[in-house]
Amino acid sequence: MENLPKKIRSKKLNSRVDLTAMVSVSFLLIIFFMVVGELSKPKVMDLNLPDLDCDDCFPTYVEENRCLTILLDKNNRIISYSGLIPTPANTSKKMEYGKNGIRKELLEKNKMALEYSAKHGKPGRGVVVMIKPSKNSNYGNLIEILDELKIANIDFYNIDSEFTPEETKLLASK
């Protein structure tokens, strides 16, 4: 029995897998998809529209003292006037964007409209702004005006693309 060959046992290898690289790649993928998901969200602005079936929801007549019209034209031009175009309360003004331009005008007109409404027994009714972008204005101008309305806390505005003949003449003259 002594001459029997010894059994050769195979060496058991340690079967450990190093997952360090896999963890690093998975964290990079998680971060990548989080960033892409955040960047791909659409940038939107809330736009509240009246219910079309409601007759009393949208005023059909606005006092002339509470009305301000803003005409948008090419090259970032803004022309504003108060009241109605045949008899504007103030002469039309050529304005600029920013805090010393249209924002200042919006704040002043809103304050005047609030005072006028309070005197006539209807407190809290501010200025109603008509925004009329011309075919020559760009989309960025409309967004800037909507931003200015939001900054000035003006809730009632209308966007209309139809110009009266008087407004067309006013745009051509300025």
Side-chain angles (χ1 to χ4, degrees):
M1 281 222 228
E2 278 183 34
N3 289 342
L4 288 175
K6 287 188 178 180
K7 261 189 182 177
I8 300 176
R9 289 198 169 177
S10 62
K11 232 183 191 183
K12 293 229 176 184
L13 297 175
N14 195 359
S15 59
R16 253 180 83 195
V17 178
D18 188 16
L19 296 176
T20 306
M22 183 74 83
V23 170
S24 298
V25 169
S26 64
F27 277 120
L28 285 174
L29 285 172
I30 289 171
I31 291 170
F32 172 76
F33 285 116
M34 286 176 58
V35 170
V36 168
E38 190 65 32
L39 292 177
S40 67
K41 288 182 182 174
K43 306 292 186 234
V44 296
M45 176 185 294
D46 290 335
L47 184 63
N48 297 326
L49 298 173
D51 186 11
L52 295 177
D53 297 333
C54 181
D55 294 332
D56 298 329
C57 296
F58 197 71
T60 56
Y61 174 74
V62 178
E63 296 94 354
E64 189 175 341
N65 294 335
R66 291 183 48 222
C67 190
L68 176 69
T69 303
I70 299 174
L71 307 175
L72 304 177
D73 201 14
K74 63 183 173 185
N75 299 328
N76 298 331
R77 283 191 335 158
I78 305 172
I79 298 172
S80 71
Y81 63 88
S82 297
L84 305 173
I85 190 73
T87 58
N90 297 342
T91 58
S92 60
K93 300 176 185 177
K94 184 178 176 189
M95 317 223 57
E96 299 290 327
Y97 291 98
K99 66 179 182 178
N100 292 327
I102 191 68
R103 188 180 311 163
K104 184 178 178 183
E105 179 80 9
L106 289 171
L107 290 170
E108 289 174 4
K109 294 295 180 183
N110 197 31
K111 182 179 176 186
M112 288 174 32
L114 288 169
E115 290 171 359
Y116 173 81
S117 297
K119 284 182 188 176
H120 291 84
K122 298 176 182 178
R125 293 186 175 188
V127 69
V128 177
V129 179
M130 290 286 295
I131 304 168
K132 294 190 174 188
S134 72
K135 292 178 182 174
N136 298 327
S137 68
N138 60 34
Y139 185 70
N141 296 141
L142 181 62
I143 297 301
E144 286 183 45
I145 286 295
L146 292 175
D147 286 343
E148 293 293 343
L149 291 174
K150 186 76 170 173
I151 292 169
N153 291 325
I154 296 175
D155 296 327
F156 295 103
Y157 57 87
N158 184 25
I159 301 171
D160 190 7
S161 62
E162 294 181 21
F163 284 84
T164 63
E166 293 88 2
E167 290 170 337
T168 306
K169 289 177 188 175
L170 185 63
L171 277 177
S173 68
K174 290 281 179 173

